[in-house]
Amino acid sequence: MFKELDPLLHSQLRLAVMSLLIGVEEADFVFLKEKTGATSGNLSVQIDKLNEAGYISVTKTFKGKMPCTICKITKNGILAFDNYVKALQGYINKN
Amino acid sequence: METKLTEQESLAIINEMIIQARNNVQKGSANSLVYNGYAVAFTAILNFILLNVLPESELNWSFSVWWLMIPSFFVSRYIQSRIDRSAIVKTHIDSIVSTLWRGFSISIVLLLSILFSMALVHHTWYYFAVFTPIIMIIVALTEYGMAKVYRFKPFFWGAVGFWTGALLCCFFTYFVLKRGDVQFLILALCMILGFVVPGYQLNKLAKEENV
């Protein structure tokens, strides 16, 4: 039996966001947009989904007069990402 | 918008994004390092000059120039806070480097407290002769750690420079010239070679990476 891939992570943009956040301490929305090449609207929706699932924490703040959104992966997010990678390895080894 | 992924595509995304997140050196991230390099080098040279121009009875006043390090610390903090404010990402490396410099600051405060206590108890400033070499050893250790986390060779050579400088300080003070003022010239040289030069190189690298 193979572990089922987490449907929340098994999506191009959400997986990209999680993969970026696992490699950094925290990242601004601008950084995520720049690196993923996603549109602001789409990225915003996916970030909300990850936030609602408790995989990332989102802090809205200001840098000077500019609003900014800081995203940080949570412990649950790290665990989910770890499980996703392990499940993925299972599928790849099978093939 | 949802896109169905194959396992290979998932792995490719993870791989690509992890590479994207790695080695993100912020533009101007070494500005405070460069500033501190110049500030300490300038103060050390000023101390050396004063030691050589003041009358012997006034020589102890020359060390007062180091009080300039207090406002300089706040200038450095201001430069760093501007960099932090403009940063769009905070990497694990940034976090490790801040921790290293925090540890450095704690070590310096403790060292100063111990040396001042010894000076008060034994009524001599003689122990401060080892202050510069010890500081240089602690700076070298911190920079050695930075070289490892940034994987940036100029920091490694900067650390080697500070270790060598610490040895030269003792060598010239106690064995060759038998005068302590030369320590300040060695410190100034090490600050330029160990902070300013690698700082400029790191900024150049960051500029190239972030084009």
Side-chain angles (χ1 to χ4, degrees):
Chain A
M1 272 300 281
F2 289 100
K3 279 184 189 172
E4 199 181 322
L5 289 171
D6 184 341
L8 203 66
L9 293 184
H10 200 56
S11 136
Q12 193 171 352
L13 188 49
R14 287 195 296 267
L15 183 61
V17 169
M18 289 293 283
S19 305
L20 282 170
L21 290 179
I22 201 114
V24 299
E25 195 88 357
E26 57 185 35
D28 193 297
F29 184 85
V30 178
F31 175 81
L32 297 174
K33 187 170 174 268
E34 202 177 90
K35 297 293 179 188
T36 57
T39 62
S40 299
N42 192 15
L43 183 60
S44 188
V45 169
Q46 306 311 328
I47 282 176
D48 278 345
K49 286 187 183 176
L50 290 169
N51 187 24
E52 279 163 23
Y55 287 0
I56 65 170
S57 67
V58 178
T59 313
K60 290 186 190 292
T61 178
F62 283 88
K63 275 181 184 173
K65 287 177 184 172
M66 295 293 287
C68 72
T69 306
I70 306 287
C71 302
K72 189 175 181 172
I73 198 161
T74 61
K75 278 183 184 170
N76 277 346
I78 294 170
L79 194 67
F81 188 82
D82 193 39
N83 287 336
Y84 180 82
V85 172
K86 279 178 186 154
L88 208 58
Q89 280 168 343
Y91 279 98
I92 287 166
N93 291 339
K94 178 194 163 195
N95 296 327
Chain B
M1 193 175 72
E2 304 276 335
T3 311
K4 275 285 163 206
L5 294 170
T6 66
E7 291 81 21
Q8 296 297 344
E9 284 170 333
S10 291
L11 263 189
I13 290 171
I14 294 170
N15 200 26
E16 194 195 325
M17 290 301 130
I18 287 176
I19 289 169
Q20 290 267 6
R22 204 170 54 192
N23 296 336
N24 245 291
V25 183
Q26 182 78 12
K27 262 187 190 175
S29 60
N31 282 355
S32 64
L33 196 72
V34 171
Y35 168 77
N36 282 315
Y38 279 131
V40 175
F42 169 79
T43 314
I45 291 170
L46 193 60
N47 198 161
F48 176 82
I49 293 169
L50 289 175
L51 276 171
N52 285 281
V53 297
L54 287 176
E56 200 156 335
S57 57
E58 305 290 326
L59 282 185
N60 277 345
W61 286 107
S62 70
F63 302 109
S64 310
V65 293
W66 291 102
W67 289 110
L68 287 172
M69 286 295 101
I70 295 173
S72 179
F73 169 79
F74 289 105
V75 174
S76 168
R77 283 303 311 152
Y78 173 73
I79 294 170
Q80 192 56 47
S81 70
R82 277 185 62 134
I83 297 163
D84 292 344
R85 259 205 308 272
S86 64
I88 55 169
V89 64
K90 187 180 177 191
T91 63
H92 297 305
I93 289 176
D94 296 331
S95 181
I96 293 167
V97 170
S98 323
T99 309
L100 278 173
W101 284 110
R102 219 170 296 135
F104 167 80
S105 307
I106 294 167
S107 305
I108 296 303
V109 170
L110 285 176
L111 178 65
L112 271 172
S113 313
I114 290 166
L115 287 178
F116 268 115
S117 309
M118 287 170 79
L120 284 175
V121 171
H122 296 287
H123 306 288
T124 172
W125 294 102
Y126 184 74
Y127 299 114
F128 272 86
V130 293
F131 185 61
T132 308
I134 293 177
I135 281 209
M136 287 167 86
I137 290 167
I138 303 172
V139 171
L141 182 65
T142 313
E143 203 170 8
Y144 187 65
M146 277 172 73
K148 184 73 187 166
V149 293
Y150 274 122
R151 292 182 193 166
F152 190 60
K153 211 72 176 170
F155 282 146
F156 169 77
W157 292 116
V160 171
F162 277 108
W163 277 318
T164 312
L167 281 175
L168 287 177
C169 280
C170 295
F171 187 65
F172 283 119
T173 307
Y174 298 108
F175 302 108
V176 183
L177 300 172
K178 311 256 180 173
R179 47 189 275 194
D181 62 344
V182 77
Q183 289 193 2
F184 296 113
L185 286 184
I186 296 171
L187 174 64
L189 183 69
C190 288
M191 291 309 290
I192 298 295
L193 296 178
F195 270 35
V196 177
V197 175
Y200 276 125
Q201 284 174 308
L202 187 67
N203 276 347
K204 191 178 164 212
L205 181 78
K207 212 172 174 182
E208 284 165 5
E209 274 184 1
N210 291 295
V211 167

